[in-house]
């Protein structure tokens, strides 16, 4: 009966983006609802069971990149320069985006309307606790994420050689490590996102780039790292057959979309059979994705497509944010220059995708209502 129902299921896997939060989720949707793959909606419908996989967390990197790059730019101007205050508006907007993203993720996870796909929740909890209790080498984290965040924070604190220095995830005072340890894996992940959100909302973390990196960005990167380390590689979405997600391309037979469909159906079945029990998404066996699976010891080497975005997209995203700020000016010439910057940035990102330097699923910050 179950296989017959599966055969009669006409729903398709779609990647939906929320205009309000800018989050993207996977879902199974009936054709008659009119929601197509790669569509944008005002808000994600509440009745859908959502899958969290690449590119949901990675989309948030753009906001982090804008904040960090803007802080770097602000430091180039004197303290009394009025432009500093204007540029802090860019930080505020990116921060507001982060808040909306994280609130939606936390709330959907808490309501059991969203689930990480291909992720072993028990391993996720154990790996995250390891970083909290025993630490993880900063050099290794920076190397795997292709960034210089963890070591630069240690250097700013006076450590001359932070390479072997461990990084410890420090929860906010509202939740101790002991409390985290007692939570179920599903509740643990919800509380972890709540902890990151609490750091994002803390005004004290926006005094300069160091405080932001130390108290906010390091935390988000750690959550991303643990997620990658405990997720089947097929859900990274970097199999060549998965490239070019759009409403015009038939994606149902791609490795990624087949895996997503199987897992969403399995989650639905578990919710139907045991609606009050904790739902542990099944880990779909890895197909031939061409990506080696991470080991259990968190010695994970992330695929290049997943770690190039922040390095390249940070300055581009910040440039686009500055252009959007300029576009608000009343001067027509300033508005024209802003439109040119956005249009060229959009072309640049499209070219980076075409060349395979960044993932085709990366958000294009230049793709705005450029009129």
């Amino acid at each position: 009966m179950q296989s017959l129902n599966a055969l009669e299921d006409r729903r398709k896997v779609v990647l939906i983006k929320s205009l309000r939060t800018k989050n993207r989720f996977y879902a199974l949707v009936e054709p008659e609802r009119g929601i197509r793959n790669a569509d944008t909606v005002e808000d994600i419908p509440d009745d859908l069971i959502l899958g969290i996989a690449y590119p949901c967390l990675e989309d948030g990197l753009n906001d982090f990149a804008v904040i960090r790059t803007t802080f770097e730019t602000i430091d180039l101007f004197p303290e009394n320069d009025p432009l500093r205050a204007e540029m802090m508006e860019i930080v505020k907007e990116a921060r507001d985006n982060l808040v909306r993203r994280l609130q939606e993720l936390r709330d959907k996870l808490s309501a059991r309307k969203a689930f990480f796909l291909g992720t072993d929740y028990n391993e996720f909890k154990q790996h995250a606790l390891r970083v909290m209790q025993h630490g993880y080498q900063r050099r290794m984290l920076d190397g795997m994420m292709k960034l210089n965040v963890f070591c630069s924070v240690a250097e700013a604190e006076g450590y001359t050689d932070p390479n072997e220095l461990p990084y410890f995830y420090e929860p906010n005072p509202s939740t101790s490590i002991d409390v985290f340890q007692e939570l179920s894996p599903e509740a643990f992940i919800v509380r972890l996102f709540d902890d990151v959100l609490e750091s994002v909302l803390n005004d004290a973390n926006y005094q300069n780039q160091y405080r932001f990196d130390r108290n906010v960005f390091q935390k988000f990167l750690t959550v991303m790292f643990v997620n990658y380390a405990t997720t089947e590689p097929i859900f990274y979405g970097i199999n060549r057959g998965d490239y070019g997600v759009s409403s015009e391309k038939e994606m149902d037979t791609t490795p990624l979309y087949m895996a997503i469909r199987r897992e969403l159906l399995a989650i639905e079945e578990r919710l139907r059979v045991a609606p009050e029990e904790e739902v542990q998404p099944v880990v779909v066996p890895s197909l031939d994705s061409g990506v080696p699976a991470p080991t259990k010891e968190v010695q994970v080497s992330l695929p290049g497509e997943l770690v190039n975005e922040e390095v390249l997209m940070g300055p581009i995203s910040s440039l686009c944010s500055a252009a959007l700020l300029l576009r608000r000016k009343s001067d027509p010439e300033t508005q024209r220059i802003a439109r040119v910057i956005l249009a060229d940035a959009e072309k640049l990102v499209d070219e980076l995708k075409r060349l395979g330097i960044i993932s085709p699923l990366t958000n294009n910050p230049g793709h705005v209502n450029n009129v």
Side-chain angles (χ1 to χ4, degrees), residues 24 26 51-58 115-117 235 256 260:
R24 291 188 282 180
Y26 292 101
I52 302 172
Y54 183 82
C56 193
L57 288 184
E58 288 73 11
F115 299 87
F116 281 97
L117 300 177
F235 292 96
L256 174 62
I260 290 171

Side-chain angles (χ1 to χ4, degrees), residues 136 140-146 225 298-302 307:
Y136 201 86
M140 296 291 289
L141 287 167
D142 274 340
M144 284 179 284
M145 302 305 290
K146 297 295 188 290
F225 164 67
V298 206
Q299 301 298 322
V300 57
S301 178
L302 301 182
V307 293

Side-chain angles (χ1 to χ4, degrees), residues 42-63:
E42 185 63 36
D43 271 301
I44 304 294
D46 289 333
D47 63 315
L48 294 178
I49 299 298
L50 306 173
I52 302 172
Y54 183 82
C56 193
L57 288 184
E58 288 73 11
D59 284 348
L61 281 179
N62 283 338
D63 298 318

Side-chain angles (χ1 to χ4, degrees), residues 37-268:
N37 193 34
D39 264 358
T40 299
V41 296
E42 185 63 36
D43 271 301
I44 304 294
D46 289 333
D47 63 315
L48 294 178
I49 299 298
L50 306 173
I52 302 172
Y54 183 82
C56 193
L57 288 184
E58 288 73 11
D59 284 348
L61 281 179
N62 283 338
D63 298 318
F64 281 97
V66 167
I67 293 171
R68 297 184 77 234
T69 307
T70 304
F71 273 129
E72 292 173 358
T73 306
I74 286 174
D75 288 341
L76 300 175
F77 296 92
E79 288 287 341
N80 59 350
D81 195 317
L83 189 58
R84 292 174 67 99
E86 289 195 34
M87 296 200 71
M88 282 303 294
E89 284 297 312
I90 298 176
V91 172
K92 181 182 181 302
E93 288 186 10
R95 179 187 180 184
D96 290 344
N97 286 339
L98 272 178
V99 170
R100 285 190 291 269
R101 288 184 192 276
L102 291 169
Q103 282 179 337
E104 182 175 53
L105 280 168
R106 179 203 58 190
D107 293 346
K108 294 288 187 185
L109 285 164
S110 179
R112 300 166 82 224
K113 286 293 187 180
F115 299 87
F116 281 97
L117 300 177
T119 301
D120 187 315
Y121 279 25
N122 288 300
E123 284 192 32
F124 189 108
K125 177 183 175 181
Q126 294 308 313
H127 288 339
L129 281 174
R130 174 184 171 181
V131 182
M132 290 181 185
Q133 296 172 319
H134 305 292
Y136 201 86
Q137 282 188 347
R138 292 172 181 269
R139 172 178 55 83
M140 296 291 289
L141 287 167
D142 274 340
M144 284 179 284
M145 302 305 290
K146 297 295 188 290
L147 293 166
N148 181 27
V149 176
F150 295 90
C151 284
S152 67
V153 166
E155 289 168 355
E157 292 174 346
Y159 295 95
T160 55
D161 185 15
N163 284 334
E164 304 303 319
L165 191 70
Y167 162 75
F168 290 85
Y169 185 105
E170 300 174 2
N172 288 296
S174 57
T175 308
S176 67
I177 294 178
D178 289 340
V179 171
F180 268 111
Q181 199 161 13
E182 294 301 316
L183 295 172
S184 68
E186 195 170 9
F188 178 94
I189 293 175
V190 173
R191 187 63 192 91
L192 193 63
F193 273 90
D194 204 41
D195 187 73
V196 176
L197 177 60
E198 191 175 334
S199 297
V200 171
L201 289 169
N202 189 342
D203 290 341
N205 294 332
Y206 295 85
Q207 295 180 18
N208 50 48
Q209 184 181 338
Y210 159 70
R211 286 187 178 273
F212 179 75
D213 281 354
R214 186 192 186 282
N215 299 328
V216 185
F217 197 31
Q218 285 186 136
K219 284 189 170 184
F220 187 80
L221 288 175
T222 302
V223 173
M224 285 185 62
F225 164 67
V226 172
N227 180 221
Y228 287 140
T230 56
T231 297
E232 286 292 321
I234 188 65
F235 292 96
Y236 292 167
I238 59 169
N239 187 300
R240 291 292 172 181
D242 301 326
Y243 279 14
V245 174
S246 74
S247 59
E248 308 301 325
K249 180 180 177 181
E250 184 60 50
M251 301 290 296
D252 290 346
T253 58
T254 63
L256 174 62
Y257 275 52
M258 287 192 294
I260 290 171
R261 181 179 183 83
R262 288 197 302 274
E263 186 154 0
L264 285 174
L265 288 172
I267 292 170
E268 287 181 350

